[in-house]
Amino acid sequence: TWKSLCFSACGAARTTLTYDTLRFEYEDFPETKEPVWILGRKYSVFTEKEEILLDVTSRLWFTYRKNFPAIGGTGPTSDTGWGCMLRCGQMIFAQALVCRHLGRDWRWIKGKRQMDNYFNVLNAFIDKKDSYYSIHQIAQMGVGEGKSIGQWYGPNTVAQVLKKLATFDTWSSLAVHIAMDNTVVMEEIRRLCQSNFPCAGAAACPAVESDVLYNGYPEEAGVRDRLSLWKPLVLLIPLRLGLTEINEAYIETLKHCFMMPQSLGVIGGKPNSAHYFIGYVGEELIYLDPHTTQPAVEPNDSGCLPDESFHCQHPPCRMSIAELDPSIAVGFFCNTEEDFSDWCQQIKKLSLVRGALPMFELVERQPSHFSNPDVLNLTPDSSDADRLERFFDSEDEDFEILSL
């Protein structure tokens, strides 16, 4: 029987839990003929259950942690109770880095020695101030945008902060685009991804075999610059699909997002109860839950980082799609220009599916009602807090409400 500590009421557990105290058994996948979709991969419960669990286990699982170095030197040493959306943001972004550096087919197997790039990815999220996407960096970047440390983020807010942090990640060299106003502008994305840029690592540069890590990455990565024609794209689309509950007209469209090979999943949930959704089966969403407090992890005496606690080794939680909070952010990763073109074609075809109402609009050029395209291109040097304020509303209430 698969067991784990958890302290949110997982839909799969069908029980009420007390924080940090209760051990319980997870409900396994239902015996159903419905396919299981996990981040663009289709599985059968009857013939591929082990493959499903291995795929889920291989995702990086970031949860509450305690006893890490104080944020900002004097701040909190645990994110329990406030960091769940920040952890979900880490998970969806970690999936982008896994696809970038390891590939979607990569799998984590307990006890098996992993390649250096795996630990380079993991080190980018470790709970210390000099890791690019650590809880420390996310929380402190939020301070610069009017968020106090310990304040709950919405999915739009964490997406914006991660975009800013990614500009410092020269090893991954990602183009991060956040599509606002329910509109994806293809021209903007091509311009962002097709500009010449320094690329270090991944497909354009061979992996650096080094035990010395700088900010989670090989020190040499920052100096091995090469030119590439397409900067790998992380596309995040914040949406609000209803007022207080999700409009059922969007459910089929949401399901199709998990079927696309470019899928990074969805972050969302209710305030103080965020989840990272990685797929669905039938009318239930499959998700990883950050609401488990684990001790912060440090490298052992040999310099290796114990990694078992970063992988969810029990069947994932499930919940009815109808219970999803309408405030979400959908993510996609396009490693090549061909990936992006294919994604665009899938979105166009999705608009023709009967009973699937589009969640966002895909257009070639920027609509005239867009006020200022520069607002969407945040950089680490951006200091115009007034222009950015609407992107960092604590409850993410600034989305245009989509309706029939």
Side-chain angles (χ1 to χ4, degrees):
T1 302
W2 301 74
K3 296 183 178 180
S4 176
L5 282 169
C6 179
F7 76 108
S8 79
C10 299
R14 315 298 184 197
T15 185
T16 302
L17 308 176
T18 56
Y19 288 177
D20 282 338
T21 59
L22 185 61
R23 297 185 68 87
F24 67 93
E25 298 181 358
Y26 280 80
E27 179 182 306
D28 208 342
F29 276 100
E31 298 294 323
T32 175
K33 293 181 180 180
E34 295 273 3
V36 176
W37 285 94
I38 303 289
L39 300 175
R41 297 297 168 88
K42 183 180 181 180
Y43 297 100
S44 165
V45 172
F46 295 110
T47 61
E48 298 175 295
K49 185 174 292 186
E50 289 303 315
E51 288 85 349
I52 296 171
L53 294 175
L54 181 58
D55 197 350
V56 171
T57 300
S58 298
R59 301 314 108 215
L60 285 172
W61 181 43
F62 297 119
T63 71
Y64 290 153
R65 297 277 174 171
K66 60 183 179 181
N67 301 325
F68 51 65
I71 296 176
T74 58
T77 59
S78 172
D79 61 313
T80 298
W82 60 271
C84 57
M85 184 58 81
L86 283 69
R87 297 300 186 180
C88 290
Q90 286 183 320
M91 285 190 272
I92 197 170
F93 221 77
Q95 180 59 22
L97 265 63
V98 166
C99 291
R100 168 79 164 119
H101 298 290
L102 302 171
R104 179 64 182 87
D105 293 330
W106 169 83
R107 294 293 182 266
W108 180 85
I109 298 175
K110 183 177 179 179
K112 180 181 178 181
R113 191 179 190 279
Q114 293 292 336
M115 62 185 74
D116 287 351
N117 272 356
Y118 162 73
F119 287 103
N120 295 340
V121 170
L122 184 56
N123 267 283
F125 297 89
I126 295 301
D127 301 319
K128 57 183 181 181
K129 64 179 182 179
D130 59 347
S131 294
Y132 281 132
Y133 307 105
S134 66
I135 193 81
H136 299 66
Q137 292 282 6
I138 298 174
Q140 291 190 287
M141 184 64 76
V143 169
E145 301 300 338
K147 286 285 186 179
S148 60
I149 294 174
Q151 186 174 356
W152 196 83
Y153 285 21
N156 177 49
T157 301
V158 74
Q160 295 288 349
V161 169
L162 286 166
K163 172 176 178 169
K164 297 186 75 174
L165 293 175
T167 62
F168 300 97
D169 178 3
T170 56
W171 180 59
S172 298
S173 288
L174 297 170
V176 182
H177 182 79
I178 300 176
M180 302 303 296
D181 299 306
N182 312 318
T183 306
V184 176
V185 183
M186 291 181 281
E187 184 181 63
E188 286 184 356
I189 291 174
R190 291 194 187 98
R191 184 168 60 244
L192 178 68
C193 295
Q194 289 177 341
S195 60
N196 287 338
F197 67 96
C199 168
C205 305
V208 179
E209 295 296 328
S210 172
D211 293 330
V212 179
L213 295 178
Y214 176 74
N215 208 341
Y217 302 132
E219 189 172 7
E220 294 91 338
V223 297
R224 299 185 62 176
D225 294 346
R226 303 186 183 183
L227 291 178
S228 178
L229 298 177
W230 176 268
K231 201 170 186 178
L233 169 69
V234 175
L235 174 60
L236 300 173
I237 311 173
L239 298 166
R240 192 167 185 93
L241 305 179
L243 289 173
T244 59
E245 57 186 35
I246 186 171
N247 186 329
E248 63 180 17
Y250 298 111
I251 289 178
E252 286 304 312
T253 314
L254 183 62
K255 287 181 178 181
H256 275 78
C257 289
F258 292 110
M259 298 164 66
M260 297 178 184
Q262 297 86 353
S263 175
L264 290 177
V266 173
I267 56 175
K270 299 181 184 302
N272 302 313
S273 186
H275 304 307
Y276 172 41
F277 299 95
I278 59 173
Y280 79 94
V281 55
E283 299 304 314
E284 290 186 314
L285 292 172
I286 299 167
Y287 65 94
L288 296 180
D289 193 336
H291 299 90
T292 295
T293 302
Q294 304 185 87
V297 173
E298 295 284 343
N300 56 30
D301 293 339
S302 62
C304 295
L305 187 70
D307 66 334
E308 288 188 18
S309 67
F310 295 102
H311 295 275
C312 183
Q313 298 176 61
H314 57 71
C317 297
R318 304 193 312 277
M319 62 174 272
S320 169
I321 299 178
E323 296 175 7
L324 178 67
D325 189 88
S327 179
I328 64 173
V330 183
F332 301 96
F333 176 74
C334 299
N335 195 42
T336 65
E337 186 172 5
E338 291 72 22
D339 289 341
F340 178 63
S341 296
D342 177 72
W343 179 83
C344 291
Q345 289 302 314
Q346 291 184 75
I347 294 298
K348 291 174 182 177
K349 290 179 181 178
L350 183 55
S351 65
L352 304 176
V353 174
R354 184 181 180 90
L357 190 66
M359 297 189 301
F360 53 87
E361 186 179 6
L362 179 66
V363 298
E364 179 60 39
R365 292 177 180 82
Q366 178 177 294
S368 58
H369 66 268
F370 271 33
S371 57
N372 189 342
D374 294 332
V375 174
L376 304 181
N377 297 321
L378 304 184
T379 68
D381 302 320
S382 180
S383 58
D384 193 345
D386 291 337
R387 288 199 309 158
L388 301 178
E389 184 176 3
R390 75 183 184 93
F391 290 141
F392 287 85
D393 182 83
S394 62
E395 297 299 332
D396 291 314
E397 294 296 343
D398 290 318
F399 303 145
E400 178 182 337
I401 304 301
L402 301 182
S403 58
L404 290 170

